[in-house]
Amino acid sequence: MTRVLAIETSCDETSVAIVKNNQVLSNIVKSQINIHSFYGGVVPEVASRQHLEIINQAIAQALIEADLDWPDIDGIGATCAPGLVGALLVGLTAAKTLAIVHEKPFVGIHHLEGHIYATYLEQPDLKPPFLCLLVSGGHTSLIYVKDCGEYETLGQTRDDAAGEAFDKVARLLKLGYPGGPIIDKLAAEGNKLAFALPEGKISLPGGGYHPYDFSFSGLKTAVLRLVQKLEKEDNELLSQSSVTKDIAASFQETVAKGLTKRAIACASDYGLNTIAIGGGVAANSGLRWHLSRAAASHNLQVLFPPLKFCTDNAAMIGCAAADHLSRGHISSLNLGASSRMAIQDVMELYK
Ligand code: KG4
Ligand code: ZN
């Protein structure tokens, strides 16, 4: 059994957890959403300063809630890439300092690998290979999970992430931040067939379209044009909540269908019979509905971890760190933070 204290500070959640392999002993998550919503999105410098203010308190609280002390901890893990560099540095520096002071091994974790491991927290018996559909505010990918540290990105967005598209559309409908949950709620009361919106497709040089890559910026622009057209026709139209609900429902339907189509095609083509979902957009009711239905008709299993493990949290980072540690994968204390890093390169973190 490997007990890890893990830290996640890649964006706007300060999180510290203690896990014993796949079992969560404590998971402290302090969201900064209230602060960033004032600006309509995450402000990187504000995020770093907030992490710095609360990290020590979160570490202490994680130990208290797990009822453990430093001698009980086998290693320290922290997200080191990808993410906001200033924000990552806070968690990474705290983790490396704790590793030195308490003489524990240090394990740097790729944020997306953490999202993949979130599924194991609820499904400890799940074994690779499987497909992970990762849909968050910063990422939209289809990842072939082969083993611990062994991944292949089969599809990804060429522009905006799915969550980013929800946030941008919510902003142009003047609905607030983060947009995903607000649009989801409004969509439930709207008509998803009210407006025909284009599905983003990536053309291939030899003709046809990429079967697994995503694009959301064209869809966002289509919603912008629709709003401009409706406002031109009637300045007051958007203030009628039924129109906003119809736009929200039509947009959500287009995103959910596009994600579902690619995830199912990818799993079927690669002979993978399980699709695990990660990231904040996994909460979306339209996506859940389409994916569950399509998976059932294709004889595929689809796993939605509980929302607290889909959105950013340190428990998933700890779960990945415990697996790496148990395989002898340890990071150098010289490891730095990186804003970008392909998930294929994860094993570079343990050289
Ligand atoms: O995984 P996450 O917490 O943070 C990132 O790593 O980005 O995802 C946050 C994203 C935001 O863009 C938010 O609007 C979106 O997830 N989101 C949703 C829903 N709940 C959160 N998008 C669609 N429907 C939802 N119910
Ligand atoms: Zn994330």
Side-chain angles (χ1 to χ4, degrees), residues 95-283:
K96 290 197 286 190
T97 309
L98 290 170
I100 295 168
V101 171
H102 299 287
E103 299 180 337
K104 310 282 180 193
F106 161 68
V107 191
I109 294 294
H110 191 289
H111 182 74
L112 301 195
E113 190 177 34
H115 275 298
I116 291 169
Y117 270 77
T119 305
Y120 296 118
L121 295 173
E122 277 291 302
Q123 309 277 339
D125 298 327
L126 176 67
K127 297 261 177 294
F130 59 90
L131 184 70
C132 179
L133 169 64
L134 189 62
V135 271
S136 70
H139 304 276
T140 301
S141 312
L142 282 163
I143 302 168
Y144 184 171
V145 180
K146 299 177 181 174
D147 201 352
C148 171
E150 231 186 287
Y151 308 100
E152 187 181 344
T153 302
L154 301 176
Q156 60 192 320
T157 181
R158 300 286 188 99
D159 38 61
D160 293 346
E164 191 180 355
F166 272 95
D167 295 337
K168 285 182 175 172
V169 165
R171 195 177 311 152
L172 67 91
L173 292 173
K174 302 183 180 67
L175 296 174
Y177 173 85
I182 308 171
I183 290 192
D184 198 356
K185 206 162 156 224
L186 289 176
E189 294 164 31
N191 173 10
K192 60 189 181 192
L193 304 175
F195 301 105
L197 295 168
E199 174 197 335
K201 292 181 184 165
I202 300 296
S203 304
L204 292 172
Y209 298 101
H210 194 291
Y212 318 130
D213 274 358
F214 308 89
S215 166
F216 295 106
S217 71
L219 172 59
K220 174 206 65 198
T221 308
V223 175
L224 175 66
R225 301 255 182 281
L226 173 65
V227 168
Q228 286 169 338
K229 180 171 156 273
L230 292 174
E231 278 181 335
K232 208 167 167 189
E233 284 166 10
D234 178 350
N235 212 1
E236 300 293 306
L237 202 64
L238 257 197
S239 57
Q240 291 172 27
S241 64
S242 65
V243 178
T244 305
K245 285 173 183 169
D246 287 350
I247 297 175
S250 305
F251 165 74
Q252 177 167 299
E253 178 74 357
T254 310
V255 175
K257 280 168 95 173
L259 290 169
T260 299
K261 185 168 107 183
R262 287 162 180 78
I264 297 288
C266 191
S268 305
D269 293 350
Y270 280 80
L272 300 168
N273 54 23
T274 299
I275 306 175
I277 320 297
V281 185

Side-chain angles (χ1 to χ4, degrees), residues 76 78 91-101 106 332-337:
I76 317 279
L92 187 63
T93 309
K96 290 197 286 190
T97 309
L98 290 170
I100 295 168
V101 171
F106 161 68
S332 154
L333 287 170
N334 291 326
L335 188 73

